[in-house]
Amino acid sequence: FNVEGGHRAVIYSRLSGLSPVVRGEGTHFKIPWVQRPYIYNVRSTPRNIKSLTGSRDLQMVDINLRVIYRPMQEKLPEVYRTLGLDYDERVLPSIANETLKSVIAQYNAIELITKREQVSTQVRNRLQERAKDFFVTLDDVSITHLAFSPQFTAAVESKQVAQQEAERSKWVVEKALEEKKSIVIQAQGEAEAAKMIASAIANNPGFIELREIQYAKEVAETIAQSNFKVYLSSDVLLMSGLAKSLGQVALKKKPGVLSSLFG
């Protein structure tokens, strides 16, 4: 008989029973009717195991566990004697469900999400130790899918939406407070400016005339940059007050000038 690559064989004899010697790859001889070979696949084989279990806070969790396993080659005679050729069907579902239920029960639903790596590591270590009792080596164990009941998922989504709305409301309140502070500061500044202007007018009547000159200068500069010719009176330029003041000064210094003009 032939043993293909990645396989091993154990021989059962009608005379001596199961041989402890494991046959490797290649061609081997057997005694017809007396000896019968049993071939095992010793390659690493993936398998998905689903389990429905409960968390610490009594939430039902649907878990999909992926394991990569292979039998211990030196223990194949014992595997055949105790478990048979379908050892994986006999061992993996039972120990995987047992391990998952014992580990998941230690965490609540939120911790299963936030501590997923820790949960996966704990499941892997326990499952590898448990598989050794059945002469099975687990090369890798990982949680590929983890889902909760629709009611719990809807509750979590509602909680997240409520938290986002609360954060938005908090931001709106803070924005309103900042705008209120800005308005108060602006009003205080305007009040202080008005107070200073009123004080300047009371102490110095020429302050208004100074403002008129500044305004007239700005208007003149703007018009000078224009391509059109514009004629403005002194009233428009707010220069009438300045002319009046200049006239009063001239009257005080040279009263005879105006009397001669109107005399």
Side-chain angles (χ1 to χ4, degrees):
F1 64 96
N2 294 325
V3 178
E4 302 294 335
H7 294 73
R8 297 293 185 270
V10 294
I11 302 296
Y12 172 78
S13 173
R14 294 178 182 270
L15 302 177
S16 58
L18 193 64
S19 172
V21 179
V22 178
R23 266 64 173 185
E25 302 168 359
T27 301
H28 304 273
F29 295 98
K30 68 175 182 177
I31 302 175
W33 188 83
V34 176
Q35 293 180 327
R36 184 166 59 246
Y38 294 97
I39 310 297
Y40 278 89
N41 182 4
V42 295
R43 297 190 184 108
S44 294
T45 305
R47 182 186 179 96
N48 292 324
I49 302 173
K50 293 185 178 181
S51 177
L52 183 64
T53 183
S55 62
R56 190 176 62 187
D57 53 353
L58 304 181
Q59 295 293 333
M60 298 307 297
V61 186
D62 185 14
I63 300 179
N64 190 1
L65 190 69
R66 180 179 175 85
V67 298
I68 299 178
Y69 67 95
R70 53 187 172 84
M72 297 180 182
Q73 297 184 25
E74 66 278 6
K75 297 293 184 179
L76 285 179
E78 191 66 24
V79 171
Y80 179 77
R81 182 177 289 111
T82 57
L83 299 172
L85 292 175
D86 58 344
Y87 68 95
D88 54 339
E89 293 290 342
R90 295 172 180 265
V91 173
L92 293 179
S94 60
I95 65 174
N97 279 281
E98 175 191 354
T99 303
L100 283 173
K101 292 181 183 297
S102 63
V103 173
I104 298 301
Q106 301 177 16
Y107 299 88
N108 59 38
I110 301 301
E111 290 175 342
L112 290 175
I113 299 174
T114 58
K115 300 180 180 180
R116 181 166 178 169
E117 184 176 356
Q118 178 179 338
V119 174
S120 180
T121 301
Q122 190 172 353
V123 170
R124 181 187 305 113
N125 295 336
R126 288 196 179 187
L127 196 56
Q128 287 176 340
E129 290 297 326
R130 193 78 176 87
K132 289 180 180 179
D133 298 335
F134 301 93
F135 314 112
V136 177
T137 300
L138 298 181
D139 295 328
D140 184 64
V141 179
S142 59
I143 297 176
T144 59
H145 178 72
L146 191 149
F148 299 94
S149 63
Q151 294 79 6
F152 179 79
T153 303
V156 171
E157 292 178 353
S158 300
K159 181 180 178 181
Q160 293 296 326
V161 171
Q163 289 179 348
Q164 292 176 359
E165 290 294 333
E167 290 294 331
R168 184 178 181 278
S169 300
K170 181 180 178 181
W171 177 80
V172 170
V173 171
E174 291 178 352
K175 181 181 179 182
L177 291 175
E178 292 297 328
E179 290 178 351
K180 181 179 179 181
K181 291 179 181 179
S182 177
I183 293 173
V184 170
I185 293 173
Q186 183 178 358
Q188 291 176 348
E190 292 177 353
E192 186 68 23
K195 183 178 179 181
M196 293 175 64
I197 292 173
S199 176
I201 293 173
N203 297 330
N204 186 8
F207 179 77
I208 297 179
E209 298 175 0
L210 177 61
R211 288 293 188 184
E212 290 180 354
I213 295 173
Q214 292 176 347
Y215 172 73
K217 181 180 179 181
E218 293 177 358
V219 173
E221 290 178 353
T222 303
I223 294 175
Q225 296 176 0
S226 175
N227 295 327
F228 302 96
K229 294 182 179 181
V230 180
Y231 298 93
L232 299 176
S233 64
S234 61
D235 292 334
V236 175
L237 292 175
L238 300 179
M239 295 294 291
S240 58
L242 178 61
K244 181 179 179 181
S245 299
L246 294 175
Q248 291 178 354
V249 173
L251 182 60
K252 290 179 181 180
K253 292 185 177 180
K254 298 180 180 179
V257 175
L258 294 179
S259 61
S260 63
L261 291 174
F262 298 99

